[in-house]
Amino acid sequence: SCGLMEEFKPGTKALCRWRDSEEEHVCELLETRTDESGQHEYYVHYTAFNRRMDEWVSAERIDINSLNADFDDDNDNTRLTRNLKRKHDEVNAVHKSNEELDPAAEKEHEEITKVKNINVIQVGKYEIDTWYFSPYPDDYGTAEKLYICEFCLKYMRKPSTLERHKGKCTLKHPPGEEIYRHHDPQLPYQLSMFEIDGVKEKIYCQNLCLLAKLFLDHKALYYDVNPFLFYVLTEVDQRGSHLVGYFSKEKESLDDYNLACILTLPPHQRKGYGKFLISLSYELSKKESKVGTPEKPLSDLGLVSYRSYWTQVLLDILAKHKGNLSIKDLSQMTAIKPEDIVSTLQYLNMIRYWKGQHIISVTPKIIEEHSKLISKRGPRCNPEHLNWTPQYVSNKKR
């Protein structure tokens, strides 16, 4: 440990033992601290992995003989197991279609947020490991663990404070208007969705943004929540309506954005809730008589969810429809912006450009693959159960 401390400089590279395995990965040492017993710990970023995998490690996990070795940036010199490879691919999904972030702003963002400040949160019955830095104020931002009320999202440093708060908190669901409730036969719970205005419920929405930032790397909105509506998805049981995810949306967007941020909390991921939230955002666009698109750039997991949703919706229509459909037809049927339809069909190799226009080409093999996708489909927003009318009407129609 002493030798490592002498060699330590922010940005130093070394091999570090990966979590509970014997495999080593190239990491960058970003910061150091001393734990309660006086031992040095190091905050590391694994160069081949998304920043959500960054963590504090003890000195014994770092191979001191590998310090400042000449590592190839594109290869961390390790074999990935199949499971790790899957996780690696998921968390490093390629942003091919996204607008690039400004390099100077990206560098500044990484500098400010490079060390995760809160490691764990308790929300309802779930203890959740965090992924990223979030600017919780004062001493809350330096707590190892935060305790968060699952109904009002107030945050506390001690479990005893949370217990006292539970006795006083009157909320059993998010504030705002319930706009959707339905029991999907695929799920053990009823799903309920609440629309919350950033002006009317400012503290709740700010708390939601701080919570979301723990799991979203590029999220700039924390305190200016007034221009946004928040759509909070919950699972309903006898104790109340429990937060599982949300998306936010500008009240008035000049760029056809129908979604700003989207998040499903980690304990509820892989249940299809991401695509449920996306499908609801498009049902709102249909009621507004608009086409919509998510704000760019999407997060890695956001891009995966959107591409899957667009693929299923478009193939669904193309499989059932007899005769030719244009991109404009598909856009009017789905409320998906034409550019997103074109990029999805290009991704599926189902579009050709001929004599100045896009020609959609559907084959029986693609339809067969589509039927496999349907069997994996998760819950979707059923528009019959959506009780919503637009509050903010724009002149821009599709």
Side-chain angles (χ1 to χ4, degrees):
S1 179
C2 289
L4 186 52
M5 272 304 292
E6 288 162 12
E7 292 283 330
F8 172 77
K9 293 187 194 71
T12 300
K13 286 190 176 176
L15 286 172
C16 179
R17 198 167 71 248
W18 173 260
R19 307 206 166 192
D20 297 327
S21 76
E22 291 303 311
E23 290 184 348
E24 291 184 325
H25 289 267
V26 179
C27 72
E28 191 177 348
L29 279 61
L30 300 178
E31 200 164 298
T32 183
R33 70 180 183 188
T34 307
D35 68 12
E36 293 170 357
S37 63
Q39 298 297 309
H40 292 298
E41 291 183 318
Y42 299 86
Y43 195 77
V44 301
H45 165 63
Y46 299 100
T47 57
F49 288 81
N50 184 283
R51 291 204 307 153
R52 78 181 63 134
M53 300 298 186
D54 296 1
E55 61 178 341
W56 288 99
V57 301
S58 59
E60 65 185 25
R61 283 176 57 185
I62 297 170
D63 179 357
I64 194 167
N65 296 320
S66 69
L67 282 171
N68 294 312
D70 187 17
F71 295 112
D72 177 357
D73 284 344
D74 295 324
N75 177 14
D76 75 346
N77 300 323
T78 58
R79 271 186 315 105
L80 295 177
T81 64
R82 184 176 299 171
N83 198 35
L84 269 176
K85 179 74 171 71
R86 178 180 59 76
K87 287 184 180 173
H88 175 272
D89 290 344
E90 278 175 11
V91 300
N92 292 286
V94 182
H95 296 240
K96 284 181 184 168
S97 63
N98 290 352
E99 297 163 15
E100 288 300 313
L101 292 164
D102 173 51
E106 173 74 352
K107 191 164 179 58
E108 183 184 7
H109 166 82
E110 286 202 0
E111 189 58 35
I112 293 167
T113 67
K114 68 182 180 184
V115 177
K116 188 163 55 186
N117 53 338
I118 297 154
N119 285 329
V120 182
I121 56 169
Q122 182 83 37
V123 184
K125 63 182 180 182
Y126 297 102
E127 187 175 76
I128 311 170
D129 291 335
T130 63
W131 293 355
Y132 302 112
F133 169 91
S134 181
Y136 277 92
D138 307 323
D139 292 345
Y140 299 101
T142 57
E144 282 279 311
K145 181 174 181 179
L146 279 187
Y147 298 84
I148 297 174
C149 173
E150 64 174 326
F151 298 118
C152 74
L153 304 187
K154 181 179 170 69
Y155 45 90
M156 293 147 260
R157 287 167 55 97
K158 296 178 183 173
S160 55
T161 316
L162 176 62
E163 286 308 310
R164 282 198 303 276
H165 170 80
K166 281 181 185 174
K168 293 183 281 188
C169 185
T170 55
L171 279 181
K172 292 298 174 194
H173 56 73
E177 295 292 319
E178 186 179 46
I179 63 168
Y180 183 89
R181 187 183 282 236
H182 178 51
H183 191 178
D184 190 298
Q186 296 184 55
L187 298 171
Y189 299 105
Q190 276 194 328
L191 291 184
S192 176
M193 174 73 83
F194 291 81
E195 179 184 67
I196 303 155
D197 190 321
V199 170
K200 295 175 183 172
E201 299 291 347
K202 191 167 187 172
I203 300 297
Y204 178 91
C205 295
Q206 287 176 342
N207 288 347
L208 179 60
C209 289
L210 287 170
L211 170 62
K213 178 63 193 74
L214 293 167
F215 306 100
L216 295 170
D217 195 5
H218 292 96
K219 177 173 173 53
L221 163 72
Y222 315 121
Y223 298 111
D224 184 18
V225 294
N226 291 1
F228 291 87
L229 293 166
F230 295 81
Y231 294 89
V232 176
L233 180 63
T234 65
E235 290 177 345
V236 183
D237 65 16
Q238 300 88 337
R239 295 189 305 109
S241 300
H242 309 280
L243 170 69
V244 300
Y246 87 103
F247 71 88
S248 58
K249 171 183 176 173
E250 282 184 294
K251 291 171 183 173
E252 297 183 69
S253 171
L254 300 175
D255 301 300
D256 296 323
Y257 293 145
N258 65 353
L259 184 145
C261 279
I262 181 169
L263 173 73
T264 304
L265 287 174
H268 302 287
Q269 289 173 2
R270 298 185 171 276
K271 295 181 182 179
Y273 287 153
K275 287 204 279 287
F276 179 91
L277 290 165
I278 292 168
S279 69
L280 193 135
S281 75
Y282 281 107
E283 291 302 331
L284 299 185
S285 292
K286 288 175 189 175
K287 282 184 174 278
E288 293 173 310
S289 300
K290 294 179 186 174
V291 296
T293 189
E295 260 187 52
K296 311 295 190 304
L298 289 164
S299 70
D300 50 1
L301 297 182
L303 179 60
V304 169
S305 288
Y306 263 96
R307 181 155 283 159
S308 176
Y309 172 79
W310 289 330
T311 297
Q312 288 185 0
V313 167
L314 294 174
L315 287 179
D316 219 5
I317 292 171
L318 293 169
K320 292 173 185 172
H321 193 82
K322 301 288 184 280
N324 294 327
L325 282 172
S326 67
I327 302 296
K328 187 178 178 183
D329 293 333
L330 287 171
S331 181
Q332 289 180 331
M333 293 165 81
T334 62
I336 300 171
K337 204 171 184 181
E339 293 90 321
D340 296 328
I341 292 174
V342 170
S343 74
T344 304
L345 294 176
Q346 284 172 337
Y347 176 75
L348 295 169
N349 276 329
M350 286 178 52
I351 196 163
R352 289 179 294 121
Y353 200 68
W354 189 64
K355 291 190 177 179
Q357 61 181 357
H358 289 107
I359 307 294
I360 300 169
S361 118
V362 185
T363 64
K365 187 181 176 188
I366 288 172
I367 301 300
E368 185 187 334
E369 287 172 1
H370 168 52
S371 61
K372 291 176 191 170
L373 277 174
I374 287 183
S375 64
K376 298 176 187 174
R377 174 170 294 170
R380 281 290 164 82
C381 170
N382 183 333
E384 291 176 17
H385 299 276
L386 180 60
N387 182 20
W388 185 83
T389 50
Q391 296 177 44
Y392 301 90
V393 180
S394 163
N395 295 323
K396 196 166 184 180
K397 300 280 182 183
R398 52 179 157 144

